[in-house]
Amino acid sequence: MEQYKASIESVDNALNRLNQTLASYRLLSQQNAKAKAEEEARKQQIEQAKQHAPPPPRDLPVPATAPSAQAQAQDPQATARARVGRVQEANARLRQDPYNLPLHLVLSRIYLVMGYPDLAAGTAYKALILSDALDDEAEEYHDEAAESLKATIQQQPLEERIQIIRRAMDAELQNQTPSELDPALDVEITLWMKEHYRLIIYRLLSRSLLLCGCLRSAMTYAERGLEIYTQDAELTEILGLVLEAGDHLPNEPDEDSPMSEWPDNGFVRRERYPWNRHEPNRFEQLDHINQLMLEASDKLEVRTIDLPSLTGLDPKGISTQLGVFAKQDIAPGEQLLCETSLLTANNKLQDALCDACSADLPELGSPEYEKVKACEECEVVFCSEWCYQAAMDSYHPALCDKDVEAIAKDVEPAEAADALYSLLLLRALAMAEHQECHPLELDAVKYIWGDFSPIPAIGQILYTDLDSPHSCTIPRNLPFSFEHNIIRPFHMLEKMDIDIFATAHLYDTWIFNTLYAKFRGTASARLSGLGGRAMRGPEVSAVHPMWCLANHSCDPNVTWDWGGQIQFTARTERVQWRGKGGKMLQKSKAGIKKGEEILNHYCDVDLPVRERREWARGALGGDCMCARSEPGPSFDVPRRKITIGVF
């Protein structure tokens, strides 16, 4: 091949000469006159893009205001600030260039270094979507991704660009086989994807999923990467770590767990992310919260209260939270709250439920059925004109006729709870999209505390070994799966005709995780319909923002019922339970005095203490610390069938 002279005036001149040479080796097909005209127009577009393109995102520069590397090494707090600053800078640049695949990989790596493998996996997955789009010009994001990547490549050193193309040419000559490159695609983009970016995608995605405990997905992407990069040492190492983790799964003696039964879910950090500016100061906004409470009850008010910390980091730790208190004496059996929510979901495709409030619809042909109203566009049914109008004002236009009805419906009982969380997320995203606000700014979720763990101390080592999910040194109590936390939310957004790249500041993995943290432990659930059907797991769920401000106790002073509206009623009889040593304790008196805290129950209070504690770890992120669930007490009333509760 002819040697390129150092006096080549520009990248475009060099590439023109390379393209002519490549064509002689069948790497490029002969272009007709129309194709040449299209290529010329494309070059003009690229030239315009180059003038506005950001610097090459092979690594993000430290902002000028950030401390030097030496200062950061001496000051862990400066290092933490710098990393958060890099996240913010990367996201800001992605708002300007949302289809920039290399920049997604930079952000994914930053998340991984910060100890957020779940966020790293979500960002790497978006890079994979762009990668797939680049392989097919018919894909939705192909043109935008190609233009962005071309502008990035053109900012790289000319010598490196020439070397990549020459290596491809030499490999073809050596193998004496026709090129596998698609002549319809940009040759240089294809080669850079093969030599650089696609390998990084598979490395980041498989390692991040391994650290999240998603063994099956981690193995899938490690194997896919090795099909292309057969000799890559890092992918080989990651695959070995996945197989080793599978070998150590608990199973019967002398039996290996089939790979198809390996877990594809785990736990990740449950915290208020340092860059989250949407979480309100609930203590400073108590007046506004109490105005919202008046819509549900004139007998209750919200105050601050010190509660035992559930993180497990400090057994004597105290967490200041909100609680609900009686403004007057409340007699046993008296109703004290009635709240309607449109943040609802049901996972049954055919059950006759109101789409807005999830109440059972009246019998077909009954006088009450005359109140039922259906959407004229998509035939979704509402129990009343009020629910229809409320849905139209709140969320329904974002979902109307968008083919979302079958998402997460009629699932297996073991998947019922996760399906409901996904559907609650779908409703929240639709509300945000229609109301044109950030999902975390919705009144239905804004003031709910997600039982977040404290942000780790400055300088704390988060993972002692990036090869092991068990090496995390901080609590991980937010359930996570690749399907429910990443794939399905992005799929739902695409069904809603939302560009997941251009709207990343509104809809991203850390936002999904924050919403899930708020839903878990606060969303009420029940079986749908009537009659003695077999237990199938929860089928209907809702988030009632005022109801869930009442703190949990295994000895509650209220009971609740939900069927369209959720209602608090003062218990007519308190729970009988045993204290330490098995001593039977005196029941608390029924009724609630003025100034007394409203004690809600988020689980079936007749469950044995061990099962209540297990529920609390999954829903609240830690052990229940009420007097009845402290280590020592036992409760031996026979367990009854659960039909309603928080899941």
Side-chain angles (χ1 to χ4, degrees):
M1 175 182 288
E2 178 184 352
Q3 295 294 323
Y4 290 95
K5 299 179 181 180
S7 60
I8 294 176
E9 296 180 355
S10 69
V11 171
D12 289 332
N13 288 338
L15 290 178
N16 285 336
R17 296 180 63 186
L18 284 170
N19 286 341
Q20 293 172 7
T21 307
L22 288 171
S24 67
Y25 289 101
R26 299 188 306 278
L27 281 172
L28 291 175
S29 61
Q30 294 294 327
Q31 296 180 323
N32 55 31
K34 179 179 178 181
K36 289 182 178 180
E38 292 176 350
E39 177 67 13
E40 190 63 32
R42 187 180 64 83
K43 287 182 179 180
Q44 293 178 2
Q45 293 176 346
I46 290 174
E47 190 62 33
Q48 295 175 357
K50 287 168 61 178
Q51 297 175 4
H52 301 91
R58 302 170 72 184
D59 194 11
L60 286 174
V62 177
T65 56
S68 66
Q70 182 178 3
Q72 292 179 33
Q74 298 172 353
D75 184 358
Q77 189 168 2
T79 303
R81 286 198 302 267
R83 286 175 176 170
V84 173
R86 286 163 69 84
V87 170
Q88 293 172 321
E89 182 182 357
N91 279 312
R93 290 174 62 180
L94 279 172
R95 289 194 69 172
Q96 298 176 349
D97 190 7
Y99 310 98
N100 191 314
L101 185 150
L103 189 52
H104 278 86
L105 297 180
V106 171
L107 180 57
S108 177
R109 184 179 180 279
I110 294 172
Y111 281 141
L112 190 59
V113 171
M114 293 181 69
Y116 295 113
D118 48 331
L119 307 187
T123 310
Y125 177 70
K126 292 176 74 173
L128 181 65
I129 294 175
L130 291 173
S131 171
D132 292 342
L134 287 168
D135 289 341
D136 186 351
E137 59 183 357
E139 286 287 333
E140 178 180 2
Y141 302 112
H142 173 82
D143 293 343
E144 295 88 347
E147 180 180 351
S148 176
L149 185 55
K150 188 68 173 180
T152 297
I153 293 172
Q154 288 180 333
Q155 296 174 66
Q156 309 310 309
L158 173 61
E159 181 179 356
E160 183 176 358
R161 295 172 63 188
I162 294 174
Q163 287 177 351
I164 287 177
I165 299 179
R166 290 187 63 182
R167 282 198 296 269
M169 294 169 57
D170 293 343
E172 183 182 2
L173 288 173
Q174 183 177 358
N175 296 332
Q176 296 184 349
T177 57
S179 171
E180 297 179 356
L181 298 178
D182 186 342
L185 301 176
D186 186 291
V187 171
E188 194 173 16
I189 286 179
T190 302
L191 294 177
W192 274 74
M193 284 300 303
K194 182 177 181 179
E195 286 221 7
H196 285 293
Y197 300 125
R198 189 167 282 113
L199 173 59
I200 298 173
I201 290 172
Y202 285 119
R203 286 174 174 174
L204 283 171
L205 192 52
S206 56
R207 183 177 294 279
S208 299
L209 290 171
L210 168 63
L211 290 175
C212 293
C214 301
L215 298 188
R216 276 183 284 148
S217 293
M219 183 173 66
T220 295
Y221 287 103
E223 288 180 335
R224 287 183 187 177
L226 285 169
E227 289 176 1
I228 305 172
Y229 307 99
T230 56
Q231 303 300 318
D232 185 69
E234 184 170 345
L235 284 175
T236 301
E237 178 190 21
I238 294 171
L239 182 59
L241 293 168
V242 174
L243 294 172
E244 182 180 350
D247 289 340
H248 287 85
L249 291 173
N251 49 53
E252 296 297 326
D254 302 324
E255 289 187 12
D256 294 330
S257 298
M259 293 182 183
S260 60
E261 297 180 6
W262 283 6
D264 210 32
N265 52 67
F267 291 87
V268 296
R269 294 161 64 178
R270 183 176 187 160
E271 65 185 47
R272 173 181 172 176
Y273 298 103
W275 53 86
N276 179 2
R277 298 294 180 262
H278 302 281
E279 198 69 31
N281 186 322
R282 304 188 303 162
F283 309 136
E284 293 180 356
Q285 298 190 30
L286 270 179
D287 288 344
H288 178 65
I289 295 174
N290 275 309
Q291 286 296 317
L292 296 175
M293 175 61 80
L294 281 175
E295 299 177 10
S297 174
D298 60 357
K299 302 175 182 179
L300 305 177
E301 64 179 350
V302 182
R303 304 180 194 168
T304 60
I305 184 173
D306 290 337
L307 298 172
S309 175
L310 300 181
T311 63
L313 297 176
D314 181 2
K316 298 182 180 180
I318 295 297
S319 174
T320 301
Q321 298 295 336
L322 299 183
V324 178
F325 294 81
K327 294 164 60 175
Q328 62 190 55
D329 290 345
I330 298 171
E334 182 178 348
Q335 181 178 301
L336 54 150
L337 177 141
C338 183
E339 183 180 11
T340 300
S341 173
L342 298 183
L343 185 46
T344 64
N346 83 84
N347 58 24
K348 304 304 293 182
L349 193 57
Q350 299 298 330
D351 275 8
L353 300 171
C354 174
D355 187 72
C357 71
S358 287
D360 291 317
L361 295 176
E363 290 289 336
L364 185 65
S366 67
E368 292 79 9
Y369 196 81
E370 295 180 2
K371 299 179 181 179
V372 172
K373 185 175 179 63
C375 173
E376 296 180 357
E377 299 293 330
C378 64
E379 299 183 354
V380 167
V381 181
F382 304 90
C383 67
S384 64
E385 179 70 25
W386 185 93
C387 275
Y388 170 78
Q389 291 296 339
M392 289 298 177
D393 293 340
S394 178
Y395 71 88
H396 185 67
L399 299 175
C400 186
D401 207 22
K402 291 294 197 304
D403 191 28
V404 297
E405 290 80 9
I407 293 178
K409 296 294 181 72
D410 292 338
V411 298
E412 295 295 324
E415 302 174 13
D418 285 334
L420 283 177
Y421 286 128
S422 293
L423 292 168
L424 286 173
L425 179 67
L426 174 62
R427 178 64 59 87
L429 298 179
M431 295 171 89
E433 182 67 12
H434 180 63
Q435 298 175 35
E436 298 182 347
C437 72
H438 195 283
L440 300 180
E441 297 285 350
L442 292 167
D443 278 342
V445 300
K446 185 175 183 178
Y447 300 106
I448 297 175
W449 180 247
D451 292 305
F452 302 121
S453 299
I455 294 177
I458 297 297
Q460 179 176 349
I461 297 176
L462 304 179
Y463 279 85
T464 58
D465 182 1
L466 280 180
D467 292 338
S468 170
H470 305 296
S471 67
C472 189
T473 62
I474 55 178
R476 295 178 302 144
N477 45 39
L478 179 65
F480 175 90
S481 80
F482 187 41
E483 171 66 27
H484 293 102
N485 293 63
I486 296 177
I487 295 178
R488 183 174 289 172
F490 286 129
H491 173 67
M492 293 188 300
L493 290 168
E494 290 182 327
K495 282 283 190 180
M496 293 165 61
D497 297 328
I498 294 174
D499 186 327
I500 63 174
F501 296 97
T503 60
H505 59 293
L506 296 173
Y507 311 114
D508 209 354
T509 306
W510 72 267
I511 298 170
F512 307 151
N513 283 359
T514 302
L515 289 170
Y516 278 137
K518 290 172 178 280
F519 296 160
R520 288 185 177 273
T522 62
S524 52
R526 60 178 171 83
L527 293 176
S528 62
L530 303 174
R533 296 183 296 182
M535 180 66 68
R536 297 174 304 281
E539 296 176 344
V540 188
S541 180
V543 173
H544 295 85
M546 295 297 105
W547 170 88
C548 69
L549 290 179
N551 293 305
H552 168 79
S553 172
C554 294
D555 183 14
N557 54 17
V558 295
T559 185
W560 55 273
D561 181 64
W562 171 47
Q565 294 178 320
I566 200 163
Q567 299 175 351
F568 268 153
T569 303
R571 292 180 72 97
T572 57
E573 185 178 13
R574 299 290 288 271
V575 177
Q576 179 73 65
W577 52 285
R578 299 178 186 274
K580 293 182 179 180
K583 180 180 178 181
M584 186 68 71
L585 299 181
Q586 182 69 35
K587 287 184 182 180
S588 301
K589 291 183 178 181
I592 304 168
K593 297 295 184 182
K594 179 180 179 179
E596 186 178 347
E597 184 182 6
I598 305 303
L599 300 176
N600 198 355
H601 59 102
Y602 293 171
C603 70
D604 188 332
V605 294
D606 288 343
L607 289 174
V609 63
R610 182 187 300 273
E611 295 185 34
R612 295 200 310 274
R613 289 174 185 153
E614 290 176 355
W615 161 83
R617 293 186 194 108
L620 301 180
D623 290 340
C624 177
M625 300 296 288
C626 75
R628 187 169 169 234
S629 288
E630 286 180 346
S634 62
F635 186 64
D636 52 8
V637 172
R639 178 177 178 176
R640 60 182 172 83
K641 181 178 178 181
I642 306 171
T643 58
I644 188 167
V646 174
F647 66 109

